[in-house]
């Protein structure tokens, strides 16, 4: 199916093109996410990428090369995954263009060299499969000697098939990475001195043999050998070497130099990689060993040694590994263990502060690094350390503010990182954790301390006051996520200085000397500077930041917005931006839709547009629209509002809305609030602008009424936006008369076959818009119950059931009389009413309407009680019972009593007659028993009626002896189910009357 969809890329159908881009976006994200997965999830993600259609492969060659490299790296320990790589590569070699294939081979073929090397053998008969890969069902095939032995042969055939000009890529990087290759293969010694001396006790002599030359080769086998027996044996031997090395290092007491340091720097990273290997035996062996080494190196005698620094460097290097998520995850937990043992074994506070300072210095460097994976590793490390850090007062007092500043700077550097890497999310998580710690220790952090070190960009020791001032200075930075978080932290920390303090009081104190000038300079610095330089990108970014600051000032300070707008330059810049947006909307293509490949500076400004709506909505809600002035609200602004709400593709803001749904939702709510505040004269101009945009958008379809008849030809995505905007505009009465007239003639027809969910969604939206206009009630009733054939009306109702039911519940006062008066005359009407009550139960958006809906319905039963009469046939009684069950689910207390509910006699009479009806089978009455417990709240005068109905029910359907029915017969199953429901009602209601009835029923045999 995917291939059929993708083949439509070259056509002009925008829906097929959109589908292609959705798959492309998925593949790009998955190619990034493989660096964040491990074990079974990694294998599943690799399989999905290797199975992509060819057109996507051609467009994503650079991204898929990383997936192939990871697959080949995993295949060294588990050869069957290489078969998937070869299957994909063989197909790609036949179909991809030469340029794309060459880019692919350049990145992949060097990773095939280990499989062709005589030094590395491919596994033939490993007896136990790694448990870490058992979660992947496709990789669950047993090892077969012929299949595994054919891997190398297939690789050789593939290299021969692609030709010499491409197979030369096998040698790519050989000369550049010669030393690294030698180290990997164990052919280069790690140290020139002999440290591992072992005395072999022969019979005639005791000989000292140096084992150093074996360590690199054994480590290489333990990491990359495909033969499981060789891999495990090498791992166990390396484990013995490490224990011998630690024992040798314990002999050096206060040495002038540390001769084992070089060996440790090479060996410790290998131990960490083996601790998260897919081989279960090695994973258990080395995870325990690494924890023991951490315990050893954090003793009081070793904490300041170079060996401990080597251990810390190896852990941090593992945390920033860009390829192996399992290594990053394990290194994070090991770092937490390192800090735990450091705190336990530190000889004093000075030693603890020194060790933690060495750790944080490394993490600060990584947090400010240009590589996103290094920043991700740093923020992950901080998150794991904060759990232990928060319990040590001396560490919190010394490092809390310094860590917070560095994490905020890290968040700023992560502004443009790929969202799939989660660098921003990781940094925000660490900052929020640290903010909670600051709140917890506020009583200590509000005091000055000589222990605190100033952050790198500060010239004074940090305190709560200086931290608040620094956060306020960050309001002007261009990085959006860091700016928003600084505003949030400022509001939080300002309350910690003094209990009665607030942002408004702090700002008021700062404004006393120089008035609004410092505040406006901080708010508008970036925008003013970019405007002077003529940098459009920075100007749009600065406009977003300035709107954020002014929005904050509206809700957090007591400064009048008139003063800020009068003394600042925000209003003029907003007007300049709106003029450019209006020109862009006029210049939009005839289809009203920019291609998704289109990128320009105006895309950056869509963020400013959403923030403008939020600012104007807050301004309208708190102060009113008159604050800005009448001249601001003109035709240009109304045109932008109409395009933003009805045709967002004309402003090219659709992609931003998809990436920032929460911001877009908040902006839409603010825009809705602002539109509802307009005066009558302004609404007339707005109506005209909205009508012009709708007529232009539907010019090729004879208006809104013609969309349904041409549903197979329209752009469904753009039409969906248009109808959603029309619905929002209708809620605030901004649709002009011509549009409403067009909706009156919308055909409620189902003759058009909806061939896709998107077409069904558009038709649903159009029907919802027509019904919300209030002019289609008669047409809807005629379509459902009128002269329309039953099959056609039933099909129409089932197709649009959700939309129709929600409309009826919200406007039940207009439909109550029609539905209830015809229930007894038409089974179709009774069915519709039952379905409407089911929707009222299950639809969360109707919660506010449920009380009035139940009230109107029960009042209507008094006037229209025919459906509850005992003379109705069994089929009608069954549907009526379903209706009663839905009503009790909506409001179980509506039954009440005769005094509280006027419909009580009707419903009570229906229920009791249902129980004692001799013409209904037990299978139908089983649906009534779950409601029994709700009827025991009746008055004493009605209790005998209920008791007699229960006794009659048991006399009709219960046997004298339980063994009367055969054990597997349907009658016995129904009887047991009824007994179970009766006891459930007894447990729920605790009714003594029901208990008495059951006792008399079951204590009537000869044994009583």
């Amino acid at each position: 199916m995917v291939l059929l969809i993708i083949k439509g890329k070259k056509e002009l159908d925008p829906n097929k093109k959109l589908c292609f881009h959705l798959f492309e976006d998925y593949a790009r994200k998955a190619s990034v996410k493989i660096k964040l997965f491990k074990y079974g999830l990694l294998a599943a993600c690799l399989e999905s990428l290797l199975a992509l259609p060819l057109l996507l492969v051609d467009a994503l060659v650079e991204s898929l090369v990383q997936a192939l490299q990871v697959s080949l790296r995993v295949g060294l320990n588990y050869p069957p995954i290489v078969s998937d790589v070869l299957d994909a590569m063989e197909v790609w070699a036949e179909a991809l263009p030469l340029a794309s294939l060459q880019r692919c081979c350049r990145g992949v073929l060097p990773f095939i060299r280990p499989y062709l090397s005589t030094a590395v053998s491919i596994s033939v008969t490993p007896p136990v499969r790694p448990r870490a890969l058992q979660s992947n069902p496709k990789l669950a095939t047993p090892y077969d000697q012929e299949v595994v032995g054919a891997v190398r042969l297939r690789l050789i055939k593939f290299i021969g098939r692609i030709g010499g000009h491409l197979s030369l890529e096998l040698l790519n990087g050989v000369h550049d990475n010669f030393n690294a290759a030698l180290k990997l293969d164990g052919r280069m010694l790690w140290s020139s001195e002999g440290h591992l001396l072992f005395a072999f006790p022969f019979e005639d002599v005791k000989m000292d043999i140096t084992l150093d030359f074996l360590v690199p080769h054994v480590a290489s086998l333990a990491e990359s050998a495909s033969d499981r027996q060789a891999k495990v044996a090498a791992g166990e031997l390396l484990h013995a070497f490490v224990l011998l090395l630690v024992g040798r290092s314990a002999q050096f007491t206060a040495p002038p130099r540390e001769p084992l340091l070089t060996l440790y720097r090479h060996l410790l990273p290998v131990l960490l990689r083996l601790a998260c290997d897919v081989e279960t035996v090695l994973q258990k062996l080395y995870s325990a060993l690494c924890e023991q080494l951490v315990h050893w190196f954090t003793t009081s005698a070793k904490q300041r040694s170079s060996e401990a620094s080597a251990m810390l460097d190896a852990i941090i290097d593992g945390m920033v590994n860009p390829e192996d998520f399992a290594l990053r995850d394990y290194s994070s937990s090991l770092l937490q263990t390192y800090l735990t043992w450091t705190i336990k074994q530190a000889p004093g506070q000075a030693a603890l502060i020194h060790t933690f300072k060495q750790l944080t210095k490394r993490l600060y460097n990584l947090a400010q690094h240009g590589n996103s994976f290094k920043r991700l590793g740093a923020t992950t490390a901080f998150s794991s350390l904060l759990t232990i850090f928060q319990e040590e007062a001396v560490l919190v007092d010394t490092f809390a503010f310094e860590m917070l500043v560095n994490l905020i700077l890290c968040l700023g550097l992560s502004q443009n990182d790929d969202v799939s890497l989660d660098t921003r999310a990781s940094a925000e998580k660490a900052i929020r954790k640290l903010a909670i710690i600051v709140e917890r220790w506020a009583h200590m952090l509000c005091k000055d301390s000589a222990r605190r070190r100033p952050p790198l960009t500060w010239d004074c020791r940090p305190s709560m006051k200086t931290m608040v001032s620094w956060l306020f200075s960050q309001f002007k930075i261009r990085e959006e996520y860091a700016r928003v978080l600084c505003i949030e932290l400022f509001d939080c920390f300002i309350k910690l200085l003094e209990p009665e303090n607030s942002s408004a009081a702090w700002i008021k104190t700062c404004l006393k000397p120089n008035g609004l000038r410092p505040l406006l300079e901080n708010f508008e610095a970036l925008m003013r500077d970019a405007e002077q330089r003529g940098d459009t990108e920075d100007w749009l970014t600065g406009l977003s930041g300035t709107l954020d600051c002014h929005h904050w000032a509206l809700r957090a300070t007591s400064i009048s917005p008139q003063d800020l707008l009068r003394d600042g330059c925000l209003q003029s810049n907003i007007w300049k931006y709106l003029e450019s947006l209006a020109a862009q909307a006029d210049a939009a293509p005839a289809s009203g839709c920019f291609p998704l490949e289109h990128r320009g500076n105006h895309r950056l400004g869509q963020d400013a547009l959403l923030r403008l709506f939020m600012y104007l909505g807050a301004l309208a809600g708190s102060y009113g629209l008159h604050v800005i002035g009448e001249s601001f609200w003109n035709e240009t602004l109304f045109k932008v509002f109409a395009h933003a709400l009805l045709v967002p593709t004309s402003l090219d803001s659709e992609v931003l809305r998809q990436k920032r749904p929460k911001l877009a939702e908040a902006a839409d709510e603010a825009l809705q609030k602002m539109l509802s505040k307009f005066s009558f004269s302004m609404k007339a101009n707005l109506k005209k602008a909205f009508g012009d945009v709708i007529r232009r958008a539907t010019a090729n379809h004879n208006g809104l009424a013609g969309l349904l008849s041409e549903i197979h030809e329209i752009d469904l995505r753009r039409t969906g936006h248009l109808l959603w905007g029309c619905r929002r505009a209708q809620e605030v009465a901004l649709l002009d008369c011509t549009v409403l007239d067009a909706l009156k003639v919308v055909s409620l027809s189902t003759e058009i076959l909806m061939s896709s969910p998107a077409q069904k969604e558009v038709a649903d939206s159009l029907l919802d818009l027509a019904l919300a206009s209030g002019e289609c009630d008669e047409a809807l009733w005629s379509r459902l119950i009128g002269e329309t054939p039953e099959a056609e009306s039933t099909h129409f109702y089932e197709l649009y059931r959700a939309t129709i039911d929600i409309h009826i519940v919200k406007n039940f006062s207009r439909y109550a009389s029609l539905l209830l008066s015809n229930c007894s005359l038409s089974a179709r009407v009774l069915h519709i009413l039952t379905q409407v009550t089911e929707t009222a139960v299950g639809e969360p958006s109707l919660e506010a309407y449920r009380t009035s809906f139940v009230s109107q319905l029960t009042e209507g039963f008094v006037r229209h009680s025919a459906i509850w009469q005992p003379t109705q046939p069994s089929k009608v009684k069954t549907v009526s019972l379903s209706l009663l069950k839905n009503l009790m689910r909506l409001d179980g207390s509506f039954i009440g009593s005769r005094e509280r509910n006027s419909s009580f006699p009707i419903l009570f009479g229906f229920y009791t007659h249902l129980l004692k009806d001799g013409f209904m089978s037990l299978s139908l009455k089983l649906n009534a028993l779950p409601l029994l417990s709700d009827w025991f709240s009746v008055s004493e005068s009605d209790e005998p009626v209920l008791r007699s109905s229960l006794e009659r029910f048991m006399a009709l359907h219960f046997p004298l002896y339980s063994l009367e029915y055969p054990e597997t017969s349907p009658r016995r199953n129904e009887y047991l189910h009824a007994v179970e429901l009766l006891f459930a009602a007894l447990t729920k209601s605790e009714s003594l009357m029901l208990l008495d009835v059951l006792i008399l029923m079951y204590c009537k045999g000869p044994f009583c």
Side-chain angles (χ1 to χ4, degrees), residues 122-151:
I122 293 184
S123 174
V124 177
T125 56
V128 180
R129 185 169 167 268
R131 186 177 63 182
L133 290 173
Q134 289 178 3
S135 59
N136 193 335
K138 186 173 180 180
L139 301 183
T141 55
Y143 281 88
D144 185 277
Q145 183 174 358
E146 295 181 0
V147 174
V148 176
V151 170

Side-chain angles (χ1 to χ4, degrees), residues 516-621:
L516 290 174
R517 185 169 55 83
L519 186 67
L520 291 172
E521 286 179 355
N522 195 45
F523 284 1
E524 302 174 354
L526 181 61
M527 185 176 62
R528 290 175 185 269
D529 180 61
E531 189 175 15
Q532 292 174 359
R533 292 184 287 107
D535 189 329
T536 305
E537 180 178 345
D538 280 355
W539 176 73
L540 292 171
T541 305
L543 180 60
S544 296
T546 304
L547 287 167
D548 269 343
C549 295
H550 279 262
H551 188 196
W552 169 81
L554 283 177
R555 60 178 174 78
T557 70
S558 57
I559 304 172
S560 171
Q562 293 98 322
D563 296 337
L564 289 174
L565 293 172
R566 182 184 63 248
D567 297 341
C569 61
L570 175 62
Q571 187 168 347
S572 60
N573 280 273
I574 289 177
W575 182 243
K576 176 182 176 183
Y577 175 59
L578 290 174
E579 285 182 335
S580 65
L581 277 181
Q584 176 186 327
D586 290 336
S591 63
C593 178
F594 284 100
L596 289 180
E597 298 88 350
H598 179 70
R599 298 293 186 271
N601 282 333
H602 64 278
R603 173 64 60 80
L604 298 172
Q606 301 315 310
D607 185 75
L609 180 63
L610 298 181
R611 296 183 184 280
L612 174 61
F613 291 159
M614 295 175 66
Y615 171 69
L616 293 177
L619 190 67

Side-chain angles (χ1 to χ4, degrees), residues 956-969:
L956 285 171
H957 302 290
F958 283 13
L960 290 176
Y961 300 99
S962 299
L963 298 179
E964 286 185 12
Y965 299 145
E967 188 170 351
T968 58
S969 65

Side-chain angles (χ1 to χ4, degrees), residues 77 126-127 214-215 217-242 271 274 277 279-283 285-286:
N77 291 327
L214 288 176
V215 176
H217 187 63
V218 171
S220 175
L221 285 175
E223 279 198 90
S224 58
S226 295
D227 187 342
R228 182 178 181 272
Q229 294 180 350
K231 182 181 180 72
V232 173
E236 292 173 345
L237 179 59
L238 183 62
H239 185 274
F241 284 166
V242 174
L271 302 184
L274 290 174
D277 196 276
E279 174 55 55
T280 311
V281 174
L282 296 184
Q283 188 181 111
L285 186 66
Y286 280 94

Side-chain angles (χ1 to χ4, degrees), residues 312 316 319-320 335 356-369 374-375 377-385 403 406-407 410:
L312 191 57
I316 293 178
M319 292 201 64
V320 299
L335 187 64
F356 196 78
K357 182 172 69 174
Q358 297 303 316
L359 171 60
T360 53
K361 284 172 65 177
R362 291 172 168 84
L363 295 180
Y364 293 157
N365 291 333
L366 293 174
Q368 310 303 319
H369 202 280
K374 294 188 183 298
R375 293 197 301 275
T379 54
T380 306
F382 278 120
S383 293
S384 63
L385 293 178
M403 289 171 62
N406 280 277
L407 283 171
C410 175

